[in-house]
Amino acid sequence: MEKPIEKILAQKEFSKADLITLLNANEQERQLIFAKAEQVKKEYVGNKVYYRGLIEFSNLCGKNCFYCGIRAGNKNAHRYEVDEEEILQAAKYAYDNNFGSLVIQAGERSDKSFVRRISEIVRKIKKMSNGELGITLSLGEQSEDTFRQWFNDGAHRYLLRIEVSNPELYPTYHPADDRHDYFKRIESLHLLRKVGYQVGSGVMVGLPFQTTSDLADDLIFLRDFDIDMVGMGPYLEHEDTPMYKYKDQLLPRMERFYLSLKMVAVLRIMMKDINIAATTAMQAIDPMGREKALKVGANIIMPNLTPTKYREDYLLYEDKPCTDEDAEECKRCLEARIYMAGDKIGYGEWGDSKHFKRRKEQNKEKQ
Ligand code: 5AD
Ligand code: SF4
Ligand code: FES
């Protein structure tokens, strides 16, 4: 017989079988998981939510992930790159409004001129804000030199989702070529840590052919890598992608949503002091998706700062929220939502991962 949820939640460590039981929890049982996650969040990271103003710098991408709306092969995508002046304006907005940090995200490219432009932008943002704005990058796999260059320019956190942690499943969602190599992605995560970044990763939930056993492995992967930050959310269809053909084999959207919510809650219980984002994809399904994620353990929100005219083009999936709004609207909207969820905003703070700091201190003690 399966162990009762209460018993599992009272444990300090969880086996894979325990995690599967938690992820399979029904409507009633999941309330127990959510309550425990809420309590852990309160105790270990508190009720402050930190902002990462999101600038979707460009939707140009050299890769062809089967699920993604801005993949290189999608000829219907209208490509853009935000110009430097506009980025600096968005960064200034974040600074003036005490956002604390920014995320610069784009499709994956590694040509020299791209690498140089990012360097310049990072340096200019640091200078404009007297070093006060924290910068997270989310720009895909790069060489160690590039990671190091951007780190030296002033970026200090990096997001690189593993997407699916099972090497055998990875090729189901990515072309089988050099550019989409699971082991290179893992290597990139190691390089990021070596260079000194706070490292974020994450997965998509509810992909076709993915099972709760795979998701339990994803949680174990994040734990064993000792990740500092996590962003994960439901997989959402996009008509102009190869994976769209499996749209009839997916879990219903609400089930994908609740499964994502359980992933967030269980991860909070497992990794008590990491940063977890309430992702935009959560809100693509449920209008209160991000608040619900905050309630069950998330503590990071990424208000969109991308100039409105570009937003419609950074469409990784359908029904992405906030594509018609501007920075001011998203700021006001999120403020209300966060207070409704019973949290406070950590204005003007970096809100770095406590987990990262703890590891750094432990390493120092060892030396
Ligand atoms: N549905 C949900 N998330 C997606 N991403 C890309 N395409 C989709 C999709 N169709 C996520 C990936 C990527 C992040 C930037 O967006 O996890 O790492
Ligand atoms: Fe490019 Fe990222 Fe989309 Fe893959 S998920 S196609 S790397 S933007
Ligand atoms: Fe953008 Fe609500 S956060 S409109």
Side-chain angles (χ1 to χ4, degrees):
M1 221 193 62
E2 232 172 44
K3 247 195 262 175
I5 300 268
E6 287 95 330
K7 200 162 165 208
I8 298 176
L9 289 175
Q11 294 168 194
K12 286 214 160 55
E13 304 281 334
F14 308 103
S15 66
K16 181 171 171 188
D18 293 337
L19 295 174
I20 293 175
T21 307
L22 293 176
L23 294 175
N24 284 331
N26 66 24
E27 210 174 318
Q28 267 179 341
E29 294 167 329
R30 77 182 178 224
Q31 297 310 327
L32 297 170
I33 305 175
F34 294 165
K36 171 85 181 185
E38 191 178 349
Q39 179 205 328
V40 171
K41 174 182 167 183
K42 209 170 184 183
E43 191 174 331
Y44 287 84
V45 292
N47 68 343
K48 255 195 216 167
V49 173
Y50 300 100
Y51 271 3
R52 314 279 184 244
L54 172 65
I55 304 176
E56 292 153 333
F57 170 58
S58 168
N59 68 352
L60 279 134
C61 184
K63 287 175 95 163
N64 258 316
C65 310
F66 293 148
Y67 42 81
C68 177
I70 64 169
R71 62 200 301 276
N74 181 9
K75 300 294 175 238
N76 293 334
H78 167 252
R79 304 289 165 174
Y80 74 88
E81 186 171 297
V82 182
D83 62 52
E84 199 182 286
E85 200 42 47
E86 287 173 308
I87 296 200
L88 290 173
Q89 265 171 24
K92 178 88 171 51
Y93 178 90
Y95 184 55
D96 291 345
N97 286 280
N98 260 322
F99 273 21
S101 294
L102 287 179
V103 178
I104 301 174
Q105 187 172 77
E108 190 176 306
R109 282 145 79 192
S110 9
D111 51 283
K112 271 201 183 119
S113 103
F114 176 79
V115 172
R116 188 172 358 97
R117 272 204 305 291
I118 296 294
S119 267
E120 279 162 16
I121 288 165
V122 170
R123 273 189 261 124
K124 284 186 181 162
I125 293 173
K126 277 292 180 190
K127 193 163 169 225
M128 178 276 295
S129 67
N130 304 313
E132 287 170 35
L133 274 178
I135 300 181
T136 305
L137 298 179
S138 175
L139 302 167
E141 294 163 43
Q142 304 288 344
S143 67
E144 183 174 348
D145 285 348
T146 300
F147 285 148
R148 184 158 280 126
Q149 179 178 325
W150 292 340
F151 186 79
N152 291 337
D153 292 325
H156 80 291
R157 311 184 196 104
Y158 204 105
L159 306 172
L160 186 73
R161 290 191 182 178
I162 190 67
E163 315 292 3
V164 279
S165 66
N166 179 344
E168 278 160 32
L169 214 50
Y170 198 82
T172 310
Y173 310 114
H174 302 93
D177 62 26
D178 243 29
R179 285 208 84 154
H180 302 81
D181 184 301
Y182 173 85
F183 295 99
K184 275 200 192 146
R185 205 156 179 89
I186 298 280
E187 174 64 16
S188 283
L189 285 170
H190 285 292
L191 290 175
L192 287 164
R193 173 157 294 160
K194 179 175 159 202
V195 169
Y197 286 95
Q198 289 175 47
V199 184
S201 194
V203 296
M204 281 176 286
V205 181
L207 288 158
F209 315 114
Q210 187 187 44
T211 63
T212 36
S213 164
D214 295 321
L215 290 170
D217 281 332
D218 288 345
L219 292 172
I220 291 169
F221 170 86
L222 296 169
R223 180 190 68 194
D224 290 352
F225 191 86
D226 202 28
I227 207 80
D228 304 309
M229 327 181 281
V230 171
M232 52 190 177
Y235 159 70
L236 295 150
E237 314 82 311
H238 190 299
E239 199 178 352
D240 298 322
T241 61
M243 238 159 71
Y244 194 68
K245 60 176 173 287
Y246 303 118
K247 65 177 190 313
D248 298 327
Q249 296 178 43
L250 300 170
L251 286 175
R253 280 196 160 197
M254 268 335 265
E255 278 183 43
R256 263 180 270 164
F257 174 76
Y258 279 108
L259 194 52
S260 307
L261 216 50
K262 282 188 270 185
M263 286 287 282
V264 167
V266 174
L267 185 69
R268 172 58 73 206
I269 298 168
M270 291 168 76
M271 301 189 75
K272 299 181 168 21
D273 58 357
I274 62 170
N275 279 347
I276 305 178
T279 56
T280 313
M282 301 289 281
Q283 200 179 311
I285 298 186
D286 183 322
M288 300 282 280
R290 283 191 274 187
E291 294 86 318
K292 288 182 183 167
L294 290 178
K295 262 295 213 215
V296 306
N299 68 328
I300 299 290
I301 281 230
M302 295 158 67
N304 201 325
L305 294 180
T306 312
T308 311
K309 66 174 192 253
Y310 300 112
R311 291 191 186 189
E312 191 59 54
D313 291 326
Y314 200 81
L315 219 55
L316 308 177
Y317 46 79
E318 287 164 7
D319 303 321
K320 192 172 166 231
C322 307
T323 47
D324 294 327
E325 282 76 10
D326 63 16
E328 189 62 30
E329 282 165 303
C330 286
K331 173 180 176 267
R332 255 185 283 124
C333 170
L334 281 178
E335 222 159 35
R337 286 167 179 274
I338 290 165
Y339 283 109
M340 259 180 348
D343 283 340
K344 290 189 298 201
I345 303 164
Y347 276 123
E349 296 180 53
W350 279 10
D352 278 335
S353 164
K354 289 197 163 95
H355 191 75
F356 175 83
K357 285 188 188 152
R358 191 161 56 92
R359 179 171 351 91
K360 237 179 146 176
E361 275 154 24
Q362 280 168 352
N363 285 348
K364 248 189 242 154
E365 279 164 25
K366 273 189 225 148
Q367 279 163 10

